[in-house]
Amino acid sequence: GTVLVFVSKDNTRSLAFGSDDIGTQTQTKCAGETPSSCLGARANKLADVQSCELLSCPCDPDMSSLEFVYMKKMMATTMPMCQEGSGNFNSLLIGLGGAALPEYMLKHCPTGTQVDSVEFDPRVIQAATEFFGLHLAPGINEVENNDGGAAVQKRAEQEKKYDVVLVDCFERSGHVPDSCRDKAFAQNIHKILRPGGKFIQQVWGSQLDSTLATYQGVFGKDNSVAQNAELEVSWLIVSTVPQPQ
């Protein structure tokens, strides 16, 4: 489907998919006034909307807060971990969206924190870079265009290690694809997490029970728990690799 980017008068940017019924996928408040280069006449129909490739619309993301409740709850768990890491903290994000999570982590975590992101749709990567203020930097803030499950498997084979893995991976209508929630996916994430590391994933209620059961089978029943993210519709599953006794 079509990737749509909306720029509001207050310089808030939103991203949505034209074929989806979920609505806004991600949202970022950019600092300052909306650049004149972003402004254009409002189109009467989708076919008349100006191509994003023809616009220059830079953003300095305001990372003083996050727009979505589930992101705030993900960061409530992640922030103490990265701050205790004292600059030796590696995170993996599956599902880039508007890059609010990597930009927030790099703003609030100590220098030396590394964020490794994976995004399936190259158009989302382009939108995040050109409209949402994603600041790519080798070894610090990197993005790979790949399927989430394949990317995690590759990292497991490479024996890479992370302190936290955040997963925000959806197809249409809030459906998590099997490659981002099956047993192999959970096993590979378990392999790449350091002792004490956490795996946090957003799911909707319709897939909560089956996904939680799969993850408890890999991490242990007491080490995978569900948290209500919002209105018992959006949930977080938090799985932990225990520290050795």
Side-chain angles (χ1 to χ4, degrees):
T2 306
V3 175
L4 303 174
V5 176
F6 300 92
V7 182
S8 302
K9 291 182 179 179
D10 66 353
N11 211 10
T12 296
R13 317 289 172 88
S14 304
L15 183 145
F17 292 98
S19 60
D20 205 342
D21 57 3
I22 295 300
T24 299
Q25 298 285 335
T26 190
Q27 186 167 288
T28 295
K29 178 72 172 69
C30 303
E33 297 183 357
T34 305
S36 59
S37 59
C38 303
L39 302 176
R42 186 177 181 87
N44 293 321
K45 56 184 178 180
L46 181 59
D48 295 334
V49 173
Q50 187 170 359
S51 171
C52 293
E53 296 177 354
L54 302 178
L55 286 175
S56 173
C57 197
C59 171
D60 177 17
D62 178 0
M63 289 292 109
S64 58
S65 64
L66 292 164
E67 298 294 326
F68 292 117
V69 173
Y70 82 89
M71 289 185 178
K72 293 177 181 179
K73 292 188 175 182
M74 280 183 165
M75 290 298 99
T77 299
T78 303
M79 283 298 103
M81 296 175 65
C82 81
Q83 289 160 1
E84 291 172 4
S86 302
N88 182 25
F89 185 83
N90 294 335
S91 59
L92 176 64
L93 171 64
I94 307 296
L96 177 66
L101 290 175
E103 291 296 321
Y104 187 89
M105 280 189 280
L106 291 171
K107 175 72 173 179
H108 295 279
C109 292
T111 300
T113 297
Q114 297 180 5
V115 183
D116 193 7
S117 300
V118 177
E119 170 56 47
F120 180 77
D121 193 330
R123 299 171 301 171
V124 172
I125 299 173
Q126 182 181 1
T129 305
E130 297 182 1
F131 289 89
F132 291 84
L134 171 63
H135 298 100
L136 295 174
I140 299 173
N141 192 11
E142 298 184 346
V143 178
E144 175 185 350
N145 178 208
N146 199 353
D147 171 76
V152 170
Q153 180 178 342
K154 181 178 74 172
R155 284 158 175 76
E157 292 169 351
Q158 294 170 337
E159 299 184 350
K160 289 193 173 184
K161 292 296 181 181
Y162 295 90
D163 299 286
V164 67
V165 178
L166 306 173
V167 180
D168 192 17
C169 173
F170 291 99
E171 295 177 325
R172 292 186 59 184
S173 302
H175 181 83
V176 180
D178 289 344
S179 64
C180 284
R181 73 179 198 101
D182 61 15
K183 183 177 181 180
F185 182 70
Q187 289 173 330
N188 284 325
I189 287 184
H190 191 284
K191 290 176 183 177
I192 65 176
L193 280 172
R194 294 188 175 111
K198 292 187 181 294
F199 161 34
I200 309 173
Q201 181 167 5
Q202 184 195 191
V203 299
W204 283 33
S206 60
Q207 291 182 300
L208 174 63
D209 291 344
S210 60
T211 307
L212 179 61
T214 298
Y215 293 176
Q216 287 179 336
V218 173
F219 286 82
K221 187 172 183 179
D222 294 336
N223 296 322
S224 284
V225 297
Q227 296 180 358
N228 177 23
E230 192 167 12
L231 302 176
E232 296 189 350
V233 174
S234 170
W235 294 80
L236 296 181
I237 299 177
V238 182
S239 304
T240 306
V241 176
Q243 294 278 7
Q245 298 295 324

